[in-house]
Amino acid sequence: MVKELDEKAEALPDHVGWRLWQASRAWQAQFAAAMRATGHSWFSEARAGLLGHIPRGGTRQAALIERAATTKQAVQQLLDGLEAEGVLERLPDPRDGRGKLVRYTRKGLDALRDGDRIKLQIELGYIGRIGEQRFAALMDALRALDAARGDVPETAAAAQDETSESN
Amino acid sequence: MVKELDEKAEALPDHVGWRLWQASRAWQAQFAAAMRATGHSWFSEARAGLLGHIPRGGTRQAALIERAATTKQAVQQLLDGLEAEGVLERLPDPRDGRGKLVRYTRKGLDALRDGDRIKLQIELGYIGRIGEQRFAALMDALRALDAARGDVPETAAAAQDETSESN
DNA sequence: TGAATATCGTCAAGTATCTTGACTATATGG
DNA sequence: CCATATAGTCAAGATACTTGACGATATTCA
């Protein structure tokens, strides 16, 4: 643990984006580690991101693509992997000959259950670290931020023209 | 904009991890889009994550590896890319024949400057969306969370044995 | 009905990021 | 000098994501 301090440890960034990123990474690392330690070795952060968009009752693959903010190919490849792992299964959609329904297998539902438990444990740890009030304020701010998406007409430079609907 | 609601839009997750992840992704997408729109086409989120650990005065490559939470190979590959783009340059460390110093080029410093500007604009947008108070509470909670890293002896399942120092 | 068009999913190739393992060169401590 | 640790590199493979093209089914509308 010999740390040279000849270079006066210049400060790391301290703005919302950086803080959010660091906090998000920390949470995910902790969660993923716990999931793997619980036996779900197939678990990865990318897969978690997709699973978060799949309700327990299952969904249409096309609906998933809308929810997750990626391409249908990315979604499909993640689904391929999760299906190969036996976490999900795809069935033909009886109401649309083109579509597929995605739903959890028993294994997948077990993982969700364990995930919920781990999630609560991590939350408790957070509350222990910063107190209930701060934690509540954090959740409140994050929810408010999410709810206000799309409001406030982009302050110039943030040109995010999402127009094309191809691919 | 035809949205079918035959499947009663099951709720998305609503816990810290998910919220942090979503907020972080949104911030990064907005920032990266603005950076690219400003002419820094080499900008990517992975690279941003590394650059955040490089102070304006430059640093030793080895010090970078400690700061960023990845392997030296990952750091090196990112540095290779950034050096090839002309954003950074690597010089031999006069104080250690093995070491290299990493520092910004003119192009890199220009990008930092633009990044700071964009960052402030996004922050203003956030404050507009959720109000000064909530924003301050958000920053406060995130800072507190970061400061309390390592406290609270891991609630069991979160086994993160970081011991080996190889590779 | 039947042709034009859109939507859903797939296949395939390429890029970016990250991981693992092995290796060279320099430093440090006897 | 020798043993060991540290700094950086080279190379191969895995994972995630992007882009482009395609076949099958649905929908629209003349």
Side-chain angles (χ1 to χ4, degrees), chain B residues 50 61 64-65 70-84 88 90 100 102:
Chain B
L50 187 62
Q61 190 166 323
L64 245 187
I65 295 163
T70 53
T71 64
K72 60 184 175 182
Q73 292 93 330
V75 167
Q76 182 170 24
Q77 287 169 22
L78 289 174
L79 288 178
D80 286 346
L82 288 166
E83 194 175 22
L88 300 174
R90 279 189 273 199
K100 296 262 178 89
V102 177

Side-chain angles (χ1 to χ4, degrees), chain A residues 126-167:
Chain A
Y126 277 28
I127 292 173
R129 275 158 67 180
I130 67 176
E132 265 188 50
Q133 290 220 333
R134 269 192 180 126
F135 185 82
L138 175 62
M139 289 302 291
D140 173 57
L142 290 173
R143 288 198 188 101
L145 205 50
D146 180 55
R149 257 177 324 167
D151 298 5
V152 184
E154 308 300 334
T155 340
Q160 281 229 53
D161 38 292
E162 295 292 316
T163 35
S164 66
E165 192 55 48
S166 63
N167 214 10

Side-chain angles (χ1 to χ4, degrees), chain B residues 1-114:
Chain B
M1 283 296 161
V2 183
K3 295 212 174 177
E4 306 180 348
L5 28 145
D6 54 293
E7 307 201 351
K8 68 279 189 188
E10 301 199 42
L12 287 177
D14 180 31
H15 53 85
V16 228
W18 184 261
R19 294 283 183 194
L20 285 173
W21 185 63
Q22 295 292 304
S24 172
R25 293 231 328 173
W27 195 93
Q28 292 203 41
Q30 192 177 351
F31 186 82
M35 281 295 278
R36 294 200 202 94
T38 310
H40 307 286
S41 59
W42 52 268
F43 193 86
S44 76
E45 299 179 10
R47 285 171 171 176
L50 187 62
L51 293 179
H53 290 287
I54 305 177
R56 271 176 167 73
T59 182
R60 289 176 39 229
Q61 190 166 323
L64 245 187
I65 295 163
E66 286 181 26
R67 286 188 160 193
T70 53
T71 64
K72 60 184 175 182
Q73 292 93 330
V75 167
Q76 182 170 24
Q77 287 169 22
L78 289 174
L79 288 178
D80 286 346
L82 288 166
E83 194 175 22
E85 293 287 350
V87 178
L88 300 174
E89 56 190 353
R90 279 189 273 199
L91 310 168
D93 185 340
R95 283 184 286 176
D96 187 333
R98 299 164 298 180
K100 296 262 178 89
L101 298 177
V102 177
R103 74 174 187 200
Y104 291 99
T105 61
R106 173 71 197 193
K107 183 176 176 182
L109 291 170
D110 285 350
L112 287 190
R113 184 178 33 71
D114 287 344

Side-chain angles (χ1 to χ4, degrees), chain A:
Chain A
M1 280 299 161
V2 183
K3 292 215 172 176
E4 307 179 348
L5 26 147
D6 53 291
E7 308 202 350
K8 67 280 187 186
E10 301 200 42
L12 287 176
D14 180 29
H15 54 84
V16 228
W18 185 261
R19 293 284 183 194
L20 285 172
W21 185 64
Q22 296 291 304
S24 172
R25 294 231 328 171
W27 195 93
Q28 291 204 42
Q30 193 177 351
F31 186 82
M35 281 295 277
R36 294 198 202 97
T38 310
H40 307 287
S41 60
W42 52 268
F43 194 86
S44 76
E45 299 180 9
R47 285 170 172 176
L50 187 62
L51 293 179
H53 289 288
I54 305 178
R56 271 175 168 74
T59 182
R60 288 176 41 227
Q61 190 167 325
L64 246 186
I65 295 163
E66 286 180 26
R67 286 188 160 191
T70 53
T71 63
K72 60 183 174 182
Q73 291 93 329
V75 166
Q76 182 170 24
Q77 287 169 24
L78 289 175
L79 287 179
D80 285 347
L82 288 166
E83 194 175 21
E85 293 288 349
V87 177
L88 299 174
E89 55 189 354
R90 280 188 272 199
L91 310 169
D93 184 340
R95 283 185 286 178
D96 187 333
R98 299 164 298 179
K100 295 262 177 89
L101 298 178
V102 178
R103 74 173 187 201
Y104 291 100
T105 60
R106 173 71 197 195
K107 183 176 177 182
L109 291 171
D110 285 350
L112 287 190
R113 183 179 33 70
D114 287 343
D116 283 346
R117 189 174 42 72
I118 291 168
K119 181 197 71 186
L120 288 178
Q121 286 187 343
I122 297 179
E123 275 194 9
L124 283 180
Y126 277 28
I127 292 173
R129 275 158 67 180
I130 67 176
E132 265 188 50
Q133 290 220 333
R134 269 192 180 126
F135 185 82
L138 175 62
M139 289 302 291
D140 173 57
L142 290 173
R143 288 198 188 101
L145 205 50
D146 180 55
R149 257 177 324 167
D151 298 5
V152 184
E154 308 300 334
T155 340
Q160 281 229 53
D161 38 292
E162 295 292 316
T163 35
S164 66
E165 192 55 48
S166 63
N167 214 10

